[in-house]
Amino acid sequence: MTPPNTDVIPAPLSVETGDGQGFLLDAGTGIEAGPGTEQVARWLRATVGAATGLPLDPHTGDARRVRLGILPALGGPEAYRLTADAERVLIEGASPAGLFWGAQTFRQLLGPDAFRRAPVTRRQEWEVPAVAIHDAPRFRWRGLMLDVARHFMPKEGVLRYLDLMAAHKLNVFHFHLTDDQGWRIRIERHPRLTEIGSWRARTKTGHRASPLWEEKPHGGYYTQDDIREIVAYAAERHITVVPEIDVPGHSQAAIAAYPELGNTDVIDTDALPVWDTWGINPNVLAPTDTTLRFYEGVFEEVLELFPSEFVHVGGDECPKDQWRRSGTAQARIRELGLADEDELQSWFIGHFDAWLAARGRRLIGWDEILEGGLAKGAAVSSWRGYAGGIAAARAGHDVVMCPEQQVYLDHRQAPGPDEPVPIGWVRTLEDVYRFEPVPPELTPEEARHVLGTQANVWTEVMEDHARVDYQTFPRLAAFAEVAWSDLPAPAERDFTAFEHRMAAHYRRLDALGVAYRPPAGPLPWQRRPGVLGRPKDGPPPSR
């Protein structure tokens, strides 16, 4: 049959509509939960049940039902199949993860009000159209990076973003926990990291060239129980949390807490505060055994909290000037027989690559870890365009594509003067929809190293969750379709059809309380007049 118009986002692999009546969900509808599906049944009762006011009790007798099952033969581990007719809805997944994504599609088919937390309608029946959907994701890594170091997001906000990710079938949450402006995770053996490093005395408002300051302390951190809760909450939604602990750059908050971590023979590290502005910070970690042992202790606690395969170590934007002037750093270069400071950073990253590998984990870092030689087994987050990812894939390393020119969601969404704190290039909803994660330069063998893709949300100019929502949505919906769906080449993608489906999706976002950017432009309270940004003119570089 010809696939109908469907408002499901991301677009399924195949959709067929039936000729008969759809399925009516009502007070008598039960859930038949096959083996291994109980968690999804509980999720449906907690979400769809709350929105509709229907009990969705366990199925008994001959009542019409929503049947859940695991069917590994469906295909890849996240594949699912959803069929609906007048008698039942059948949702089958190749695994519990696939089943969960099928349940997300079921929720979308019920309509936008199914995304509310309590009923807003008195209707007694909710209809799912007669339909047969078969679906599976294109990529195994469909990520969102959230920076909570620059502006802290309290735990309940993080849990909310995990729900928003799940609603868009995203499955990797890259949790950027440390930077110059704040350390956000409690480390029991190093308590000053949060006692001192988790807050700053004031904050730059806008771009670093702005004359404006918010003259009040800003901070916050997650206890280890908070982290356990976040990780468990994510796991229930089949989302993996990948923590990022930045080394050796972006580390002034840690040095402010423990001055011995810095290059003490070059600067007075005792005088360094947690940084209150933005940009590339010159104060980096000293390449000493003291620093290595300190961060091994940090990572030991991190590994206890995060069961993820990958651990992100940053590795980006590490100025080498202090190492060039440091006798200690130069002695370490000579001791190791290294050529220069780039190789010293490679040695630093390589140490933690080996350390993590010995504990059954894998290191991933920003594409600067390529400089001076890439650690064996390390994976790369390619952010400075595609070049780093191409080089890494050709060298046999796994890659996550997240080029700033395409999927940095802190970049402005339109060229108009009302865009709040305009940063970077214009990246419209359509621009994100036409992003292609796999560079055409790669051979099929090399392309297999592209694990997937990720959208990054850096929060220097996002002071609260409403600003994060505005920058992230609706573009995250377009990104989710790029990451999940089997789309044609960028120029051939039907953006008009996507916009049509977005008409329904905006109503879902409304029900979820997302403060997205409206298609017509920012609402008055979403603007930030007079706050300096740093817009870049013209189209971004293609590579």
Side-chain angles (χ1 to χ4, degrees), residues 8-54:
V8 173
I9 290 178
L13 196 61
S14 69
V15 180
E16 296 182 354
T17 54
D19 296 327
Q21 179 181 332
F23 181 84
L24 297 179
L25 198 72
D26 59 24
T29 302
I31 295 179
E32 181 181 350
T37 71
E38 296 83 3
Q39 184 171 297
V40 172
R42 288 194 297 270
W43 180 85
L44 283 170
R45 292 188 182 101
T47 54
V48 172
T52 60
L54 302 176

Side-chain angles (χ1 to χ4, degrees), residues 69 102 106 322 353 384 389 513:
F106 171 71
Q322 288 186 358
D353 177 58
R384 295 181 299 178

Side-chain angles (χ1 to χ4, degrees), residues 51 120 157 170 198 204 331 335 352 418 424 487 524 529:
V120 296
L170 299 175
S198 69
K204 174 68 70 173
E335 171 196 338
F352 287 104
D418 289 334
L487 298 178

